[in-house]
Amino acid sequence: LQGTYRVMLDEHHSSDELVYGQLKGSNNMNSDAHSIPVRIRQVPGNGSCLFNAISAGLLFDQSISTNDNEQDGGVKVDHPPMSKVIEYSSELRTQAVDTLENGFKSNNKGNETSEIQLIMQNDETISTSSLINEAADQYGILPEEYLSSMRQENVWGGGPEIVALANCMKRPIVLMETIEGCEENTIYLKAVARFGPLSTGRPVYILSTNQKFPNDYASKKKNHFLAVFLVHKCAE
């Protein structure tokens, strides 16, 4: 997406810490905060925007891994075509639901010692059955119905699926939101949550926003996910 985007950090944290998903960043713009530039990629709002956004981030990281000199600025790395992003997002949806379904079935065998725990935020854990039951309750359906519905390509994924993917891939997924009161020519983001285990692998960054972003999105209902990339990882 065209435009200038930056992620706010507080004075105690560096961009390297954001790279490895070790901080939430600053919640507002003030004199004690600094920021780093990011880029944002639009993905189709076809009901699979969450999986499309995560897919775009993972595929771009894979392209970086094949270019050893990229971080030194020696190699231009292109973003994968959207057709490949959409194809891989379908696989990610299956991985997410399989992780949730397998854990749900295991957790409901009645043996508490064998319950599968998923890492949420700050190394807090939740049993898969509890996660699915809570999600199903929000929609007024049975857990089995929730899982079956989530396999459909046009069904919007959310928190449970983010947690599932972060755990099965062992890659942190960092959720970002926009900050109110941004400057006229710059949109600032903040990292509000990091899901999954803390690892040395690069996190995947996604932005929760409205489909109208970056135009006329403020105060609108969040109904879309976009892929976010740190500028030092992107092709110039």
Side-chain angles (χ1 to χ4, degrees):
L1 291 173
Q2 292 185 346
T4 302
Y5 311 101
R6 302 186 70 87
V7 175
M8 298 299 297
L9 305 174
D10 65 37
E11 62 180 342
H12 303 295
H13 295 114
S14 67
S15 59
D16 287 340
E17 289 178 297
L18 180 64
V19 170
Y20 293 104
Q22 296 171 340
L23 62 110
K24 290 186 177 181
S26 176
N27 288 327
N28 51 59
M29 294 178 287
N30 56 62
S31 59
D32 294 328
H34 63 284
S35 63
I36 60 173
V38 296
R39 293 180 182 168
I40 298 175
R41 185 178 188 184
Q42 179 65 272
V43 297
N46 56 1
S48 292
C49 59
L50 169 66
F51 303 103
N52 290 334
I54 295 174
S55 172
L58 290 171
L59 289 175
F60 184 69
D61 268 357
Q62 289 176 14
S63 67
I64 287 178
S65 298
T66 61
N67 292 277
D68 294 337
N69 296 326
E70 191 278 336
Q71 291 191 2
D72 295 327
V75 176
K76 177 180 178 180
V77 180
D78 294 323
H79 287 275
M82 190 55 65
S83 59
K84 188 173 182 180
V85 169
I86 293 174
E87 179 182 1
Y88 187 39
S89 75
S90 182
E91 297 179 25
L92 293 176
R93 179 185 287 272
T94 299
Q95 287 183 39
V97 181
D98 283 349
T99 298
L100 295 172
E101 188 170 63
N102 293 338
F104 179 76
K105 291 179 178 178
S106 175
N107 290 353
N108 278 276
K109 290 180 179 180
N111 184 357
E112 293 185 0
T113 60
S114 65
E115 283 200 353
I116 296 178
Q117 301 287 320
L118 297 176
I119 299 175
M120 299 270 289
Q121 301 182 51
N122 303 319
D123 291 329
E124 296 178 358
T125 61
I126 185 173
S127 70
T128 313
S129 58
S130 296
L131 184 61
I132 295 303
N133 281 320
E134 291 176 9
D137 285 345
Q138 290 182 353
Y139 293 97
I141 59 178
L142 296 173
E144 293 81 3
E145 293 175 316
Y146 176 88
L147 292 167
S148 176
S149 174
M150 192 53 63
R151 291 193 182 277
Q152 301 177 30
E153 292 293 332
N154 63 340
V155 174
W156 197 77
E161 292 69 45
I162 295 174
V163 172
L165 283 175
N167 279 265
C168 75
M169 298 186 304
K170 295 181 172 54
R171 291 277 296 272
I173 296 179
V174 177
L175 179 65
M176 296 185 174
E177 294 181 353
T178 56
I179 297 175
E180 293 184 6
C182 292
E183 297 177 1
E184 182 178 355
N185 298 319
T186 303
I187 294 178
Y188 288 90
L189 314 179
K190 61 180 178 180
V192 296
R194 175 187 59 81
F195 296 97
L198 184 61
S199 69
T200 57
R202 282 192 290 251
V204 179
Y205 308 95
I206 56 176
L207 172 64
S208 176
T209 186
N210 183 271
Q211 284 187 326
K212 293 183 179 295
F213 184 90
N215 302 310
D216 192 30
Y217 68 92
S219 73
K220 295 291 192 344
K221 179 181 178 181
K222 290 182 173 60
N223 60 5
H224 194 46
F225 288 101
L226 300 172
V228 179
F229 308 90
L230 304 188
V231 163
H232 78 270
K233 292 166 53 179
C234 296
E236 297 295 338

